[in-house]
Structures are given as structure tokens and as C-alpha cells.
Coordinates of all heavy atoms in Angstrom, one line a residue:
M1 N 244.8 -191.5 185.5 CA 244.1 -190.3 185.1 C 244.1 -190.0 183.7 O 243.1 -189.8 183.0 CB 244.6 -189.1 185.9 CG 244.3 -189.0 187.3 SD 244.8 -187.4 188.0 CE 243.3 -186.9 188.7
I2 N 245.3 -190.0 183.1 CA 245.4 -189.7 181.7 C 246.1 -190.8 180.9 O 246.7 -190.5 179.9 CB 246.2 -188.4 181.5 CG1 247.6 -188.5 182.1 CG2 245.4 -187.2 182.1 CD1 248.5 -187.4 181.7
D3 N 245.9 -192.0 181.4 CA 246.7 -193.1 180.7 C 245.8 -193.8 179.7 O 246.1 -194.9 179.3 CB 247.2 -194.1 181.7 CG 246.2 -194.6 182.7 OD1 245.0 -194.2 182.6 OD2 246.6 -195.4 183.5
N4 N 244.7 -193.2 179.2 CA 243.9 -193.9 178.2 C 244.2 -193.3 176.8 O 244.8 -192.2 176.7 CB 242.4 -193.7 178.5 CG 242.0 -192.3 178.5 OD1 242.0 -191.6 177.4 ND2 241.5 -191.7 179.6
P5 N 243.9 -194.0 175.8 CA 244.3 -193.6 174.4 C 243.7 -192.3 174.0 O 244.4 -191.5 173.3 CB 243.7 -194.7 173.5 CG 243.5 -195.9 174.4 CD 243.3 -195.4 175.8
V6 N 242.5 -191.9 174.4 CA 241.9 -190.6 174.0 C 242.8 -189.5 174.6 O 243.1 -188.5 174.0 CB 240.5 -190.5 174.5 CG1 239.9 -189.1 174.2 CG2 239.6 -191.6 173.7
S7 N 243.1 -189.6 175.9 CA 243.9 -188.6 176.6 C 245.3 -188.5 175.9 O 245.8 -187.4 175.7 CB 244.1 -188.9 178.1 OG 242.9 -188.9 178.7
R8 N 245.9 -189.6 175.6 CA 247.2 -189.6 174.9 C 247.1 -188.9 173.6 O 247.9 -188.0 173.3 CB 247.7 -191.0 174.7 CG 249.0 -191.1 173.9 CD 249.4 -192.5 173.6 NE 249.9 -193.2 174.8 CZ 251.1 -193.2 175.3 NH1 252.0 -192.6 174.7 NH2 251.4 -193.9 176.4
W9 N 246.1 -189.2 172.8 CA 245.8 -188.6 171.5 C 245.7 -187.0 171.6 O 246.2 -186.3 170.9 CB 244.6 -189.2 170.8 CG 244.2 -188.5 169.6 CD1 244.8 -188.7 168.3 CD2 243.2 -187.6 169.4 NE1 244.2 -187.9 167.4 CE2 243.2 -187.2 168.0 CE3 242.3 -187.0 170.3 CZ2 242.3 -186.3 167.6 CZ3 241.4 -186.1 169.8 CH2 241.4 -185.7 168.4
A10 N 244.9 -186.6 172.6 CA 244.6 -185.2 172.8 C 245.9 -184.5 173.2 O 246.2 -183.4 172.7 CB 243.5 -185.0 173.9
L11 N 246.7 -185.0 174.1 CA 247.9 -184.4 174.6 C 248.9 -184.4 173.4 O 249.6 -183.4 173.3 CB 248.5 -185.2 175.7 CG 247.8 -185.0 177.1 CD1 248.4 -186.0 178.1 CD2 247.9 -183.6 177.6
E12 N 248.9 -185.4 172.6 CA 249.9 -185.4 171.5 C 249.5 -184.3 170.4 O 250.4 -184.0 169.6 CB 250.0 -186.8 170.8 CG 250.7 -187.8 171.7 CD 250.7 -189.2 171.2 OE1 250.0 -189.5 170.2 OE2 251.5 -190.0 171.8
G13 N 248.3 -183.8 170.5 CA 248.0 -182.7 169.6 C 248.7 -181.4 170.0 O 248.8 -180.5 169.2
F14 N 249.1 -181.3 171.3 CA 249.8 -180.1 171.8 C 251.3 -180.3 172.1 O 252.0 -179.4 172.0 CB 249.1 -179.6 173.0 CG 247.7 -179.2 172.8 CD1 246.6 -180.1 173.1 CD2 247.4 -177.9 172.4 CE1 245.3 -179.6 172.9 CE2 246.1 -177.5 172.1 CZ 245.1 -178.4 172.4
F15 N 251.6 -181.5 172.4 CA 253.0 -181.8 172.8 C 253.6 -183.0 172.0 O 252.9 -183.8 171.5 CB 253.1 -182.2 174.3 CG 252.4 -181.1 175.2 CD1 251.1 -181.3 175.7 CD2 253.1 -179.9 175.5 CE1 250.5 -180.3 176.5 CE2 252.5 -179.0 176.3 CZ 251.2 -179.1 176.8
D16 N 254.9 -183.1 172.0 CA 255.5 -184.2 171.3 C 255.3 -185.5 172.0 O 255.0 -185.5 173.2 CB 257.0 -183.9 171.1 CG 257.8 -183.8 172.4 OD1 258.2 -184.9 172.9 OD2 258.0 -182.7 172.9
K17 N 255.4 -186.6 171.3 CA 255.1 -187.9 171.8 C 256.0 -188.3 173.0 O 255.6 -188.9 174.0 CB 255.2 -189.0 170.7 CG 254.1 -188.9 169.7 CD 254.2 -190.0 168.7 CE 253.1 -189.8 167.7 NZ 252.9 -191.0 166.9
E18 N 257.3 -187.9 173.0 CA 258.2 -188.2 174.1 C 257.7 -187.5 175.4 O 257.7 -188.2 176.4 CB 259.6 -187.8 173.7 CG 260.6 -188.2 174.8 CD 262.0 -187.7 174.4 OE1 262.2 -186.9 173.5 OE2 263.0 -188.1 175.1
T19 N 257.4 -186.3 175.3 CA 256.9 -185.6 176.5 C 255.6 -186.2 177.0 O 255.5 -186.4 178.2 CB 256.6 -184.1 176.1 OG1 257.8 -183.5 175.7 CG2 256.1 -183.3 177.3
V20 N 254.7 -186.5 176.1 CA 253.4 -187.2 176.6 C 253.7 -188.5 177.2 O 253.1 -188.8 178.3 CB 252.5 -187.3 175.3 CG1 251.2 -188.1 175.7 CG2 252.1 -186.0 174.8
A21 N 254.6 -189.3 176.7 CA 254.9 -190.6 177.3 C 255.5 -190.4 178.7 O 255.1 -191.2 179.6 CB 256.0 -191.3 176.4
V22 N 256.3 -189.4 178.9 CA 256.8 -189.2 180.3 C 255.7 -188.7 181.2 O 255.7 -189.2 182.4 CB 258.0 -188.1 180.2 CG1 258.4 -187.7 181.6 CG2 259.2 -188.7 179.5
V23 N 254.8 -187.9 180.7 CA 253.7 -187.4 181.6 C 252.8 -188.6 181.9 O 252.5 -188.8 183.1 CB 252.9 -186.4 180.8 CG1 251.5 -186.1 181.5 CG2 253.6 -185.1 180.7
I24 N 252.5 -189.5 181.0 CA 251.7 -190.7 181.3 C 252.4 -191.6 182.2 O 251.8 -192.1 183.2 CB 251.3 -191.4 180.0 CG1 250.3 -190.4 179.2 CG2 250.7 -192.7 180.3 CD1 249.9 -190.9 177.9
K25 N 253.7 -191.9 182.0 CA 254.4 -192.8 182.9 C 254.5 -192.2 184.3 O 254.5 -193.0 185.3 CB 255.8 -193.0 182.3 CG 256.7 -193.9 183.1 CD 258.0 -194.2 182.5 CE 258.8 -195.1 183.3 NZ 260.2 -195.3 182.8
N26 N 254.6 -190.9 184.5 CA 254.8 -190.3 185.8 C 253.6 -189.5 186.2 O 253.7 -188.6 187.0 CB 256.0 -189.4 185.8 CG 257.3 -190.1 185.5 OD1 257.8 -190.8 186.4 ND2 257.8 -190.0 184.3
N27 N 252.4 -189.9 185.8 CA 251.2 -189.1 186.0 C 250.9 -189.0 187.5 O 250.4 -188.0 188.0 CB 250.0 -189.6 185.2 CG 249.4 -190.9 185.7 OD1 249.0 -191.0 186.8 ND2 249.3 -191.8 184.8
N28 N 251.2 -190.0 188.3 CA 250.9 -190.0 189.8 C 251.7 -188.9 190.4 O 251.2 -188.1 191.2 CB 251.2 -191.3 190.5 CG 250.1 -192.3 190.1 OD1 249.0 -192.0 189.7 ND2 250.5 -193.6 190.2
K29 N 253.0 -188.8 190.1 CA 253.9 -187.7 190.6 C 253.4 -186.4 190.1 O 253.3 -185.4 190.9 CB 255.3 -188.0 190.2 CG 256.0 -189.2 190.8 CD 257.4 -189.3 190.3 CE 258.0 -190.6 190.9 NZ 259.4 -190.8 190.4
I30 N 253.2 -186.3 188.9 CA 252.8 -185.0 188.3 C 251.5 -184.5 188.8 O 251.4 -183.3 189.2 CB 252.7 -185.1 186.7 CG1 254.1 -185.3 186.2 CG2 252.1 -183.9 186.1 CD1 254.2 -185.8 184.7
F31 N 250.5 -185.3 188.9 CA 249.2 -184.9 189.5 C 249.2 -184.7 191.0 O 248.4 -183.9 191.5 CB 248.1 -185.8 189.0 CG 247.7 -185.6 187.6 CD1 248.2 -186.3 186.6 CD2 246.8 -184.5 187.3 CE1 247.9 -186.0 185.3 CE2 246.5 -184.2 186.0 CZ 247.0 -185.0 185.0
G32 N 250.2 -185.3 191.7 CA 250.4 -185.0 193.1 C 250.8 -183.6 193.3 O 250.3 -182.9 194.2
V33 N 251.8 -183.2 192.5 CA 252.2 -181.8 192.5 C 251.1 -180.8 192.1 O 250.8 -179.8 192.8 CB 253.5 -181.6 191.6 CG1 253.8 -180.1 191.5 CG2 254.6 -182.4 192.2
L34 N 250.4 -181.1 191.0 CA 249.4 -180.3 190.5 C 248.3 -180.1 191.6 O 247.8 -179.0 191.9 CB 248.8 -180.9 189.3 CG 247.6 -180.1 188.6 CD1 248.0 -178.7 188.3 CD2 247.1 -180.9 187.4
E35 N 247.9 -181.2 192.3 CA 246.9 -181.2 193.3 C 247.3 -180.3 194.4 O 246.5 -179.5 195.0 CB 246.6 -182.6 193.8 CG 245.4 -182.7 194.7 CD 245.1 -184.1 195.1 OE1 245.2 -185.0 194.2 OE2 244.9 -184.4 196.3
S36 N 248.6 -180.3 194.8 CA 249.0 -179.4 195.9 C 248.9 -178.0 195.5 O 248.5 -177.1 196.3 CB 250.4 -179.8 196.4 OG 251.4 -179.5 195.4
Y37 N 249.2 -177.6 194.3 CA 249.1 -176.3 193.8 C 247.6 -175.8 193.7 O 247.3 -174.7 194.0 CB 249.8 -176.0 192.5 CG 251.3 -175.8 192.8 CD1 252.2 -176.8 192.8 CD2 251.8 -174.5 193.0 CE1 253.5 -176.6 193.0 CE2 253.1 -174.3 193.3 CZ 254.0 -175.4 193.3 OH 255.3 -175.1 193.5
L38 N 246.8 -176.7 193.2 CA 245.4 -176.4 193.1 C 244.8 -176.3 194.5 O 243.9 -175.4 194.7 CB 244.6 -177.5 192.3 CG 244.9 -177.5 190.8 CD1 244.2 -178.7 190.2 CD2 244.5 -176.2 190.2
G39 N 245.3 -177.0 195.5 CA 244.9 -176.8 196.9 C 245.2 -175.4 197.4 O 244.4 -174.8 198.1
A40 N 246.4 -174.9 197.0 CA 246.8 -173.5 197.4 C 245.8 -172.5 196.7 O 245.4 -171.5 197.3 CB 248.2 -173.3 197.0
V41 N 245.5 -172.7 195.4 CA 244.6 -171.8 194.7 C 243.2 -171.9 195.4 O 242.6 -170.9 195.6 CB 244.4 -172.2 193.3 CG1 243.2 -171.5 192.6 CG2 245.7 -172.0 192.5
D42 N 242.8 -173.1 195.8 CA 241.5 -173.3 196.5 C 241.5 -172.5 197.8 O 240.5 -171.8 198.1 CB 241.3 -174.7 196.8 CG 239.8 -175.0 197.2 OD1 238.9 -174.4 196.6 OD2 239.7 -175.8 198.1
L43 N 242.6 -172.6 198.6 CA 242.7 -171.8 199.9 C 242.6 -170.3 199.6 O 241.9 -169.6 200.3 CB 244.0 -172.2 200.6 CG 244.2 -171.5 201.9 CD1 243.1 -171.8 202.9 CD2 245.5 -171.9 202.5
T44 N 243.4 -169.9 198.6 CA 243.4 -168.5 198.3 C 242.0 -168.0 197.9 O 241.5 -166.9 198.3 CB 244.4 -168.2 197.2 OG1 245.7 -168.6 197.7 CG2 244.5 -166.7 196.9
T45 N 241.4 -168.8 197.0 CA 240.0 -168.4 196.6 C 239.1 -168.4 197.7 O 238.2 -167.5 197.8 CB 239.5 -169.5 195.5 OG1 240.5 -169.5 194.5 CG2 238.2 -169.1 195.0
A46 N 239.2 -169.3 198.7 CA 238.3 -169.3 199.9 C 238.5 -168.0 200.7 O 237.6 -167.4 201.2 CB 238.5 -170.5 200.7
E47 N 239.8 -167.6 200.8 CA 240.1 -166.4 201.5 C 239.5 -165.2 200.8 O 239.0 -164.3 201.5 CB 241.6 -166.3 201.7 CG 242.2 -167.3 202.7 CD 243.7 -167.3 202.7 OE1 244.3 -166.8 201.7 OE2 244.2 -168.0 203.6
I48 N 239.6 -165.1 199.5 CA 239.1 -164.0 198.7 C 237.6 -164.0 198.9 O 237.0 -162.9 199.1 CB 239.5 -164.1 197.3 CG1 241.1 -163.9 197.1 CG2 238.8 -163.2 196.4 CD1 241.6 -164.3 195.8
A49 N 237.0 -165.1 198.7 CA 235.5 -165.2 198.8 C 235.0 -164.7 200.2 O 234.0 -164.0 200.3 CB 235.0 -166.6 198.5
T50 N 235.7 -165.2 201.2 CA 235.3 -164.8 202.6 C 235.5 -163.3 202.8 O 234.6 -162.6 203.4 CB 236.1 -165.5 203.6 OG1 235.9 -166.9 203.5 CG2 235.8 -165.1 205.1
G51 N 236.6 -162.7 202.3 CA 236.8 -161.3 202.4 C 235.8 -160.5 201.6 O 235.3 -159.4 202.1
A52 N 235.4 -161.0 200.4 CA 234.4 -160.3 199.6 C 233.0 -160.3 200.3 O 232.3 -159.3 200.4 CB 234.3 -160.9 198.2
R53 N 232.7 -161.4 201.0 CA 231.5 -161.5 201.7 C 231.4 -160.5 202.8 O 230.5 -159.8 203.0 CB 231.3 -162.9 202.3 CG 230.1 -163.1 203.2 CD 230.1 -164.5 203.8 NE 229.0 -164.6 204.7 CZ 228.7 -165.7 205.3 NH1 229.4 -166.8 205.1 NH2 227.6 -165.8 206.1
S54 N 232.5 -160.4 203.6 CA 232.6 -159.4 204.7 C 232.5 -158.0 204.1 O 231.8 -157.2 204.7 CB 233.9 -159.6 205.4 OG 234.1 -158.7 206.4
A55 N 233.2 -157.7 203.0 CA 233.1 -156.4 202.5 C 231.7 -156.0 202.0 O 231.2 -154.9 202.2 CB 234.1 -156.3 201.3
I56 N 231.0 -157.0 201.4 CA 229.6 -156.7 201.0 C 228.7 -156.4 202.2 O 227.9 -155.5 202.2 CB 229.1 -157.9 200.2 CG1 229.8 -158.1 198.8 CG2 227.5 -157.9 200.0 CD1 229.4 -156.9 197.9
V57 N 228.9 -157.2 203.3 CA 228.1 -157.0 204.5 C 228.4 -155.6 205.0 O 227.4 -154.9 205.4 CB 228.3 -158.1 205.5 CG1 227.7 -157.7 206.8 CG2 227.8 -159.4 205.0
Q58 N 229.6 -155.2 205.0 CA 230.0 -153.8 205.5 C 229.4 -152.8 204.6 O 228.9 -151.8 205.1 CB 231.5 -153.7 205.5 CG 232.2 -154.5 206.6 CD 232.0 -154.0 208.0 OE1 231.7 -152.9 208.2 NE2 232.0 -155.0 208.9
E59 N 229.5 -153.0 203.3 CA 229.0 -152.0 202.3 C 227.5 -151.8 202.5 O 227.0 -150.7 202.3 CB 229.3 -152.5 200.9 CG 229.1 -151.4 199.9 CD 230.1 -150.3 199.9 OE1 231.2 -150.4 200.4 OE2 229.7 -149.2 199.5
L60 N 226.8 -152.9 202.8 CA 225.3 -152.8 202.8 C 224.8 -152.5 204.2 O 223.6 -152.3 204.4 CB 224.7 -154.1 202.4 CG 224.9 -154.4 200.9 CD1 224.3 -155.8 200.5 CD2 224.3 -153.4 200.0
R61 N 225.7 -152.3 205.2 CA 225.3 -151.9 206.5 C 224.5 -150.6 206.5 O 225.0 -149.6 206.0 CB 226.5 -151.8 207.4 CG 226.1 -151.5 208.9 CD 227.3 -151.4 209.8 NE 227.8 -152.7 210.0 CZ 229.0 -153.0 210.5 NH1 229.8 -152.0 210.8 NH2 229.3 -154.2 210.7
G62 N 223.3 -150.6 207.1 CA 222.5 -149.4 207.1 C 221.7 -149.2 205.9 O 220.8 -148.3 205.9
V63 N 222.0 -149.9 204.8 CA 221.2 -149.8 203.6 C 220.1 -150.8 203.6 O 218.9 -150.5 203.2 CB 222.1 -150.0 202.4 CG1 221.3 -149.9 201.1 CG2 223.3 -149.0 202.4
V64 N 220.4 -152.0 204.0 CA 219.4 -153.1 204.1 C 219.5 -153.8 205.4 O 220.5 -153.5 206.2 CB 219.5 -154.2 203.0 CG1 219.3 -153.5 201.6 CG2 220.9 -154.8 203.0
S65 N 218.6 -154.7 205.8 CA 218.7 -155.3 207.1 C 220.0 -156.2 207.2 O 220.5 -156.6 206.1 CB 217.5 -156.2 207.3 OG 217.5 -157.3 206.5
K66 N 220.4 -156.4 208.4 CA 221.6 -157.2 208.6 C 221.5 -158.6 208.0 O 222.4 -159.1 207.3 CB 221.9 -157.4 210.1 CG 223.2 -158.2 210.4 CD 223.4 -158.3 211.9 CE 224.6 -159.1 212.2 NZ 224.8 -159.4 213.6
G67 N 220.3 -159.2 208.1 CA 220.1 -160.6 207.6 C 220.2 -160.6 206.1 O 220.8 -161.5 205.5
L68 N 219.6 -159.6 205.4 CA 219.6 -159.5 204.0 C 221.1 -159.2 203.5 O 221.5 -159.8 202.5 CB 218.7 -158.4 203.5 CG 218.5 -158.3 202.0 CD1 218.0 -159.6 201.4 CD2 217.5 -157.2 201.7
A69 N 221.8 -158.3 204.2 CA 223.2 -158.1 203.8 C 224.0 -159.3 203.9 O 224.8 -159.6 203.0 CB 223.8 -157.0 204.7
E70 N 223.8 -160.1 205.0 CA 224.5 -161.4 205.1 C 224.2 -162.4 204.0 O 225.0 -163.1 203.5 CB 224.3 -162.0 206.5 CG 225.0 -161.2 207.6 CD 224.7 -161.6 209.0 OE1 223.9 -162.6 209.2 OE2 225.3 -161.1 209.9
G71 N 222.9 -162.4 203.6 CA 222.4 -163.3 202.5 C 223.1 -162.9 201.2 O 223.6 -163.7 200.5
V72 N 223.2 -161.6 201.0 CA 223.8 -161.1 199.7 C 225.3 -161.5 199.8 O 225.9 -161.9 198.8 CB 223.6 -159.6 199.5 CG1 224.5 -159.1 198.4 CG2 222.1 -159.3 199.3
G73 N 225.9 -161.3 201.0 CA 227.3 -161.6 201.1 C 227.6 -163.1 200.9 O 228.6 -163.5 200.3
Q74 N 226.6 -164.0 201.3 CA 226.8 -165.4 201.1 C 226.7 -165.7 199.6 O 227.4 -166.6 199.1 CB 225.7 -166.2 201.8 CG 225.9 -166.3 203.3 CD 224.8 -167.1 204.0 OE1 223.6 -167.0 203.6 NE2 225.2 -167.8 205.0
V75 N 225.8 -165.0 198.9 CA 225.7 -165.2 197.4 C 227.0 -164.8 196.7 O 227.5 -165.6 195.9 CB 224.5 -164.4 196.8 CG1 224.6 -164.4 195.3 CG2 223.2 -165.0 197.3
V76 N 227.6 -163.7 197.1 CA 228.9 -163.3 196.5 C 230.0 -164.3 196.8 O 230.7 -164.7 195.9 CB 229.2 -161.8 197.0 CG1 230.6 -161.5 196.6 CG2 228.2 -160.8 196.5
E77 N 230.0 -164.7 198.1 CA 231.0 -165.7 198.5 C 230.9 -167.0 197.6 O 231.9 -167.5 197.1 CB 230.9 -166.0 200.0 CG 231.9 -167.0 200.5 CD 231.7 -167.2 202.0 OE1 230.6 -167.2 202.5 OE2 232.8 -167.5 202.6
W78 N 229.7 -167.4 197.5 CA 229.4 -168.6 196.8 C 229.8 -168.5 195.3 O 230.4 -169.4 194.7 CB 227.9 -169.0 196.9 CG 227.5 -170.3 196.3 CD1 227.6 -171.5 196.9 CD2 227.1 -170.5 194.9 NE1 227.1 -172.5 196.0 CE2 226.8 -171.9 194.8 CE3 226.8 -169.6 193.9 CZ2 226.3 -172.4 193.6 CZ3 226.3 -170.2 192.7 CH2 226.1 -171.6 192.6
L79 N 229.4 -167.3 194.7 CA 229.8 -167.1 193.3 C 231.3 -167.1 193.1 O 231.8 -167.7 192.1 CB 229.1 -165.8 192.8 CG 227.6 -165.8 192.6 CD1 227.2 -164.4 192.3 CD2 227.2 -166.7 191.5
I80 N 232.0 -166.5 193.9 CA 233.5 -166.4 193.8 C 234.1 -167.8 194.0 O 234.8 -168.3 193.2 CB 234.1 -165.4 194.8 CG1 233.7 -164.0 194.4 CG2 235.6 -165.6 194.8 CD1 234.1 -162.9 195.5
Y81 N 233.7 -168.5 195.1 CA 234.3 -169.7 195.4 C 234.0 -170.8 194.4 O 234.8 -171.4 193.8 CB 233.9 -170.2 196.8 CG 234.6 -171.4 197.2 CD1 236.0 -171.4 197.6 CD2 234.0 -172.7 197.2 CE1 236.7 -172.5 198.0 CE2 234.7 -173.8 197.6 CZ 236.0 -173.7 198.0 OH 236.7 -174.9 198.3
Y82 N 232.7 -171.0 194.1 CA 232.3 -172.1 193.2 C 232.5 -171.7 191.7 O 232.7 -172.6 190.9 CB 230.9 -172.6 193.5 CG 230.8 -173.3 194.8 CD1 230.3 -172.7 196.0 CD2 231.3 -174.6 194.9 CE1 230.3 -173.3 197.2 CE2 231.3 -175.2 196.1 CZ 230.8 -174.6 197.3 OH 230.9 -175.2 198.5
G83 N 232.4 -170.4 191.4 CA 232.6 -170.0 190.1 C 234.1 -170.2 189.7 O 234.4 -170.6 188.6
S84 N 235.0 -170.0 190.6 CA 236.4 -170.3 190.4 C 236.6 -171.8 190.1 O 237.5 -172.2 189.4 CB 237.3 -169.8 191.5 OG 237.1 -170.6 192.6
K85 N 235.9 -172.6 190.8 CA 236.0 -174.1 190.6 C 235.6 -174.5 189.2 O 236.2 -175.4 188.6 CB 235.2 -174.9 191.6 CG 235.8 -174.7 193.0 CD 235.3 -175.9 193.8 CE 235.9 -175.8 195.2 NZ 237.3 -176.2 195.2
L86 N 234.6 -173.8 188.6 CA 234.2 -174.1 187.3 C 235.3 -173.7 186.3 O 235.5 -174.3 185.3 CB 232.9 -173.3 186.9 CG 231.7 -173.8 187.7 CD1 230.5 -172.9 187.4 CD2 231.3 -175.2 187.3
I87 N 235.9 -172.5 186.6 CA 237.0 -172.1 185.7 C 238.2 -172.9 185.8 O 238.8 -173.3 184.7 CB 237.3 -170.6 186.0 CG1 236.1 -169.7 185.7 CG2 238.6 -170.1 185.3 CD1 236.2 -168.3 186.2
L88 N 238.6 -173.3 187.0 CA 239.8 -174.2 187.1 C 239.4 -175.6 186.8 O 240.2 -176.4 186.5 CB 240.3 -174.1 188.6 CG 240.9 -172.7 188.9 CD1 241.3 -172.7 190.4 CD2 242.1 -172.4 188.1

């Protein structure tokens, strides 16, 4: 993942060469841990997005049709879930 010269150069701009060498040598272990934590963030984000969708549908109940409220809820869910992926 990060074992190319450009990645090494970029990392060495922020960290010392010894630390970068250890990261590159152990990148499979490091990114395995990182992936598990990002998976937890993904799950949490999915839960938040689903909750927001439900709350929007509840909030719009009686204001607009059920189908329209669900459509708006889907948009909110999508924005939260996929928007967070862009940020992360």
C-alpha cells in the first residue's frame, strides 16, 4: 500500500525516517488494524444514517406524503453515509 518511493517521501515530510521505515516494513499489520477501526466507524456511520433517516420520516409525518418523506429520508441517509466516506 505505502511501499512506493512517493509514499515514503510524503511520510518522511511528517515523520522521521526510522518511523516511516517501520511503518513500511509492517504495513500489512498496521493497515489490518486501521481497517478494523475504519470498519467500526463505517458501522457507526451506518447506524447514525439510518437513525437520521427514521427521524426525518417521523418529522415529516403529516407534512408531506409518506412516500415523499421516505424519499427525503433516503437522501439524508445517503448524504450522511457516503459523505462520511468522502471525508474519511
Side-chain angles (χ1 to χ4, degrees):
M1 287 187 126
I2 59 166
D3 54 357
N4 65 61
V6 174
S7 297
R8 178 184 289 270
W9 173 81
L11 287 171
E12 286 175 351
F14 294 98
F15 305 100
D16 63 86
K17 289 183 180 192
E18 182 180 11
T19 301
V20 173
V22 170
V23 168
I24 290 171
K25 182 178 180 182
N26 296 286
N27 74 57
N28 288 337
K29 291 178 184 179
I30 292 166
F31 281 96
V33 170
L34 179 61
E35 189 174 316
S36 68
Y37 277 91
L38 289 177
V41 167
D42 192 42
L43 178 61
T44 302
T45 302
E47 292 169 345
I48 291 168
T50 300
R53 176 184 179 176
S54 178
I56 290 293
V57 171
Q58 292 289 331
E59 191 70 27
L60 294 177
R61 180 179 286 164
V63 178
V64 297
S65 70
K66 181 180 178 185
L68 187 55
E70 288 176 356
V72 172
Q74 284 179 324
V75 170
V76 170
E77 181 179 32
W78 186 87
L79 288 172
I80 292 170
Y81 187 75
Y82 292 102
S84 71
K85 291 202 175 288
L86 293 173
I87 294 169
L88 293 175

